[in-house]
Amino acid sequence: MSDTPFGFGVPPEEPEDGDEGRKKQPSEGGKGAGNPFGFPGLPGGGQGGADNPFAAMFGSLNPTDLGAAFQQLGQMLSYEGGPVNWDMAKQIARQTVAQGTADGTKDSSVGPAERAAVEEAVRLADLWLDGVTSLPSGANTAVAWSRAEWVEATLPAWQQLVDPVAERVGAAMGDVLPEEMQAMAGPLIGMMRSMGGAMFGQQIGQAVGVLAGEVVGSTDVGLPLGPAGKAALLPLNVEVFGKDLGVPKDEVRLYLALREAAHQRLFAHVPWLRSHLFGTVEGYARGIKVDTSKLEDAVSGLDPSNPEQLQEALQQGMFQPEDTAEQKAALARLETALALVEGWVDAVVHEAAKSRLTSAAALRETLRRRRASGGPAEQTFATLIGLELRPRRLRDAARLWASLTDARGVDGRDDLWQHPDMLPTASDLDDPDGFVHREHLDFSELDKMLGEAAGGTHQDRPGGDGTRGDAPRTDDEDDSDK
């Protein structure tokens, strides 16, 4: 778990020695600890208050331009919905996509030939995966999306991820103020929440728009961002991804289709997984707190009618959140769960592709390094909710799943997804061999025991005498045998 839960910096290559390589990476302006809402490096992203995520959220406007900015945002500031103006986010994401990426690549509609190629790649990927996992196909359809279509399809998932955090941020001021101060600061609180909804919408829209220019499918962040049962690839981004790799385009597409189809299997047939991951984000949000004393001192000297004074207070750390134990625990759970998801996909896809694609090993390493260098998905996810997915956790998880396959077979490995309590923990990722060779409970016997406990008074269960399988005999039965 990162010591800076509100953002992260990662090395250009994944260090095999864990944190050592990360220490060599200098932090960049606005990026890293304490800046989940500033979206460094994105157009319009917050630049001020690198150690203060609230300042970053509100600090992207220059005080001299504040009047003009508020006039432009007047309609959106009247929004009375949830903590984020998602109509605004969608509009800005679409505008960002329309502007094209930094390399000059413009979005374009997907043609029939590209759709057919994606459908064929996913079909073949599912066929190959049948031999390396006991989980059946999770993709009812295969779709090819443009960048704009990716934005439309994934916004509902982003909303589910971001709203809990945004709601706590927006309510932080009112939560910590004494009741008598709330009446005095009422106009300021309302202004802050209105600004928060607008700024969240603006910056999330920019982030999602930039991300749409680089993702290759619907599961790049290790979460099911698209509709259930739809395996999706973005042909334009797949082409850009493979441009300088020296690998045939068909192989790149097929390898990425394997990863997408593997994710789909996992999320379709592990019913608790999605709610577990998204619920952990909500747990993180519930832990957001601010320094009450600092807030009271700042508010007491503010003039709600003076937006320049408000912005200056924000940039000076008025709403610096506290690093709570609850947040650390939630982030640790989420980090471990995502590492297990990505490690399982990495191991399964490698097993399916290694004997069929000549470039499988090279593509695997390219994707690992892409993740390790803080690729677009990881950067955006970290800035939105403060998660750091440690690159070395991915490698450790992949090794553990591969070792489990050797020791217990495909079925034994995949059976661990039946319940979250059966999965390896963070400490098991540190000692994968210990987990693999540890004696594990026979869950078929556990099922018998639970059935007996639940129906111990009934006489119509298998066996007809109140026993089931190898259940202990009663005293009467013992006597009759004498």
Side-chain angles (χ1 to χ4, degrees), residues 343-467:
W344 183 88
V345 169
D346 181 272
V348 166
V349 168
H350 180 67
E351 187 65 25
K354 66 181 181 181
S355 62
R356 296 181 172 101
L357 298 179
T358 57
S359 303
L363 289 168
R364 183 191 200 190
E365 188 61 26
T366 298
L367 284 163
R368 282 181 165 186
R369 292 183 179 275
R370 188 175 188 244
R371 299 297 298 264
S373 63
E378 291 79 11
Q379 292 278 6
T380 300
F381 203 50
T383 53
L384 287 176
I385 68 165
L387 168 71
E388 177 184 333
L389 178 58
R390 279 178 146 186
R392 92 179 154 82
R393 299 285 81 181
L394 168 60
R395 288 189 185 265
D396 290 344
R399 292 190 191 103
L400 187 149
W401 289 119
S403 297
L404 281 168
T405 307
D406 294 338
R408 304 184 188 179
V410 168
D411 291 344
R413 177 200 66 199
D414 293 346
D415 281 348
L416 293 178
W417 288 105
Q418 290 179 12
H419 191 276
D421 290 344
M422 297 170 61
L423 289 176
T425 64
S427 60
D428 292 325
L429 294 182
D430 294 326
D431 181 23
D433 290 338
F435 178 85
V436 169
H437 299 295
R438 185 184 309 154
E439 290 188 10
H440 58 287
L441 183 64
D442 185 338
F443 282 89
S444 63
E445 291 301 317
L446 176 61
D447 181 62
K448 290 181 181 180
M449 294 166 60
L450 293 175
E452 290 161 7
T457 60
H458 297 285
Q459 300 299 313
D460 55 350
R461 290 177 295 131
D465 58 354
T467 64

Side-chain angles (χ1 to χ4, degrees), residues 43-287:
Q47 301 299 322
D51 294 327
N52 180 359
F54 296 91
M57 181 173 67
F58 296 109
S60 60
L61 297 178
N62 188 308
T64 60
D65 300 328
L66 204 57
F70 272 120
Q71 186 175 10
Q72 294 173 1
L73 294 175
Q75 182 178 359
M76 285 164 279
L77 286 174
S78 63
Y79 172 74
E80 297 181 353
V84 178
N85 187 333
W86 286 101
D87 290 337
M88 179 182 181
K90 177 179 175 180
Q91 178 184 0
I92 291 179
R94 294 292 299 262
Q95 290 172 351
T96 303
V97 165
Q99 292 171 1
T101 53
D103 62 1
T105 305
K106 296 284 188 178
D107 193 23
S108 59
S109 299
V110 178
E114 291 173 316
R115 295 188 187 279
V118 168
E119 290 172 359
E120 175 60 20
V122 172
R123 184 198 65 78
L124 185 55
D126 257 337
L127 183 64
W128 289 2
L129 289 171
D130 283 339
V132 295
T133 175
S134 62
L135 300 180
S137 174
N140 300 323
T141 57
V143 294
W145 285 339
S146 67
R147 293 168 177 172
E149 288 173 322
W150 182 90
V151 168
E152 296 278 353
T154 62
L155 271 180
W158 288 117
Q159 182 172 356
Q160 187 176 353
L161 283 168
V162 175
D163 268 351
V165 180
E167 186 173 3
R168 283 298 301 135
V169 170
M173 181 174 176
D175 287 345
V176 301
L177 284 179
E179 186 175 350
E180 60 272 13
M181 286 193 66
Q182 290 188 20
M184 179 185 70
L188 178 60
I189 294 175
M191 179 181 179
M192 292 294 298
R193 289 179 177 173
S194 296
M195 289 177 64
M199 291 302 173
F200 261 118
Q202 179 192 38
Q203 295 187 336
I204 291 169
Q206 289 169 345
V208 172
V210 170
L211 185 57
E214 301 187 40
V215 294
V216 296
S218 72
T219 55
D220 283 35
V221 298
L223 289 172
L225 294 179
K230 283 191 176 181
L233 292 180
L234 283 70
L236 176 59
N237 292 356
V238 170
E239 182 176 356
V240 172
F241 170 80
K243 183 177 180 181
D244 298 321
L245 298 181
V247 178
K249 182 178 178 179
D250 290 346
E251 282 201 25
V252 174
R253 184 193 302 113
L254 184 50
Y255 192 86
L256 296 176
L258 280 165
R259 289 184 53 83
E260 178 73 10
H263 278 102
Q264 293 293 336
R265 289 183 180 227
L266 197 57
F267 287 112
H269 299 291
V270 182
W272 57 266
L273 185 55
R274 179 188 175 97
S275 60
H276 175 73
L277 293 170
F278 282 70
T280 305
V281 177
E282 294 180 9
Y284 166 82
R286 286 193 299 269

Side-chain angles (χ1 to χ4, degrees), residues 459 461-482:
Q459 300 299 313
R461 290 177 295 131
D465 58 354
T467 64
R468 180 180 178 183
D470 297 327
R473 294 184 300 173
T474 65
D475 292 340
D476 290 342
E477 290 173 323
D478 290 340
D479 292 339
S480 65
D481 288 341
K482 293 178 181 178

